[in-house]
Amino acid sequence: MKGTKAMLEIRPNCEMCDRDLPPDSPLARICSYECTFCADCVTQVLHDVCPNCAGGFVPRPIRPATARRAGVSRLHQISGTERRALKYDPADIDALVAAARDIPPADR
């Protein structure tokens, strides 16, 4: 879509444990749908399997704190405020993780 720029939402919490993940947190991980989890949940519980889409995770980018280009910084593009929670129960998450954890994200 010409002229339309999609911007990362930067969600405020881990969808699994509800840990706060401020916009500058190096512990935030996202999948390609921007599902957001903390590094601990991704490595210790989810084994790099998003419980929502079965995709893998990458570190969430940190938006610049200082506008080194006019109008481009955390002060200008604020982070999301809507907290998210998983809609799947633990048994369902465990089953998905068990089925997908040994398959590389690109092949899931």
Side-chain angles (χ1 to χ4, degrees):
M1 296 189 297
K2 191 173 182 177
T4 303
K5 293 182 182 180
M7 188 170 308
L8 192 63
E9 184 180 348
I10 304 186
R11 297 176 182 172
N13 67 304
C14 174
E15 293 180 35
M16 177 157 270
C17 72
D18 199 35
R19 178 184 198 165
D20 287 339
L21 294 170
D24 61 347
S25 176
L27 300 177
R29 301 292 182 266
I30 60 172
C31 73
S32 66
Y33 291 98
E34 295 186 49
C35 301
T36 304
F37 297 87
C38 69
D40 290 340
C41 284
V42 166
T43 58
Q44 297 171 16
V45 179
L46 300 173
H47 303 281
D48 198 36
V49 177
C50 177
N52 297 316
C53 69
F57 291 98
V58 295
R60 181 179 70 193
I62 296 175
R63 193 167 286 152
T66 303
R68 302 202 188 278
R69 299 278 189 201
V72 182
S73 75
R74 286 196 299 260
L75 297 174
H76 297 90
Q77 291 82 32
I78 61 169
S79 300
T81 57
E82 181 183 341
R83 297 182 81 81
R84 310 286 172 107
L86 286 171
K87 57 185 174 185
Y88 303 102
D89 64 53
D92 189 36
I93 293 168
D94 290 346
L96 179 68
V97 169
R101 71 185 279 181
D102 294 325
I103 303 168
D107 295 333
R108 290 187 195 146

